[in-house]
Amino acid sequence: MVRHRRRETQGSFQAVLQRLDGKPLGLILAGTPGSKGLVIIHRGESEVLCRWNEEHPHRRIDVGSAILSVNHLTEPSRMLQEFRQATSVDLKIKTTLDHQQELLFQAALKQHRDVQQARQRLRILDTETLPVSEPCSICFEQMNPQHHEVAVLPCHHHFHHQGVGKWLTQGKQCCPLCREQLA
């Protein structure tokens, strides 16, 4: 469900978005302590966002915009938490970035792209490919492809897919064991 409030000032607008069946809204956001809001670095194809952008072509929620508040919260870490958890979000969005937001956007966008490239280089092993049941060097639990996806990096080290995925989303672009660069 999408509602629009008419209050609009200097390139900013408000939008109220309602999650459908608890599904994510499809935005990847970046922020740092002390920054003015969050920046949108990726927009997925969620039904709610697609509908909003179709109904409001001059007030699009898109990559490169800033979110100045989420449910009237303005501190970035609290905004992120509210954005993830709330079933309804009242967003104040600014379509142009100030200098600090632009720097944050460029750095976060580069990191996001690097992570996506590294994830594309992961190969998932099938149940017969893993030579022996060995512990994952990230979580130290046994890797059993029958119960968890096991990923192999280009350097041939194996990890639980979820663990190495988390490693990559933290901005680390190398193998956790040998430090071979992935990107």
Side-chain angles (χ1 to χ4, degrees):
M1 178 177 161
V2 180
R3 290 182 282 163
H4 178 271
R5 294 188 184 167
R6 294 187 182 258
R7 238 181 327 163
E8 193 172 328
T9 57
Q10 299 178 323
S12 67
F13 60 91
Q14 282 196 259
V16 177
L17 305 177
Q18 181 77 33
R19 289 183 202 282
L20 299 175
D21 301 321
K23 293 179 183 173
L25 292 172
L27 295 177
I28 297 180
L29 308 172
T32 59
S35 65
K36 296 177 196 167
L38 306 169
V39 294
I40 301 172
I41 61 169
H42 179 78
R43 182 181 66 84
E45 295 301 318
S46 83
E47 185 179 333
V48 173
L49 283 175
C50 288
R51 186 178 321 133
W52 170 270
N53 286 340
E54 286 173 11
E55 293 174 4
H56 305 92
H58 300 293
R59 294 181 191 96
R60 290 180 58 84
I61 299 172
D62 217 344
V63 172
S65 297
I67 297 178
L68 302 178
S69 68
V70 176
N71 294 343
H72 307 288
L73 297 172
T74 57
E75 196 279 315
S77 64
R78 294 187 65 208
M79 290 171 65
L80 280 170
Q81 182 178 10
E82 184 73 8
F83 188 82
R84 287 185 193 120
Q85 296 175 349
T87 56
S88 176
V89 290
D90 182 348
L91 305 173
K92 182 171 183 185
I93 299 171
K94 187 171 84 169
T95 56
T96 58
L97 302 178
D98 64 25
H99 181 69
Q100 178 189 17
Q101 291 166 333
E102 182 64 33
L103 292 174
L104 172 62
F105 173 72
Q106 293 299 331
L109 186 61
K110 181 185 180 326
Q111 180 180 0
H112 176 69
R113 287 180 178 158
D114 289 348
V115 167
Q116 294 306 311
Q117 287 176 346
R119 280 184 172 224
Q120 289 174 354
R121 296 186 65 195
L122 294 178
R123 189 169 43 99
I124 305 299
L125 299 179
D126 60 26
T127 53
E128 289 103 37
T129 309
L130 191 61
V132 292
S133 181
E134 56 188 53
C136 172
S137 298
I138 295 174
C139 68
F140 303 109
E141 292 183 19
Q142 290 299 111
M143 289 187 286
N144 183 342
Q146 295 172 337
H147 301 294
H148 299 98
E149 287 186 325
V150 175
V152 62
L153 301 181
C155 59
H156 304 291
H157 287 120
H158 301 87
F159 306 95
H160 283 119
H161 185 259
Q162 185 176 3
V164 77
K166 186 174 181 179
W167 170 266
L168 294 172
T169 59
Q170 293 172 346
K172 299 173 174 108
Q173 299 299 309
C174 61
C175 172
L177 285 178
C178 69
R179 304 291 185 198
E180 180 179 317
Q181 291 297 312
L182 302 177

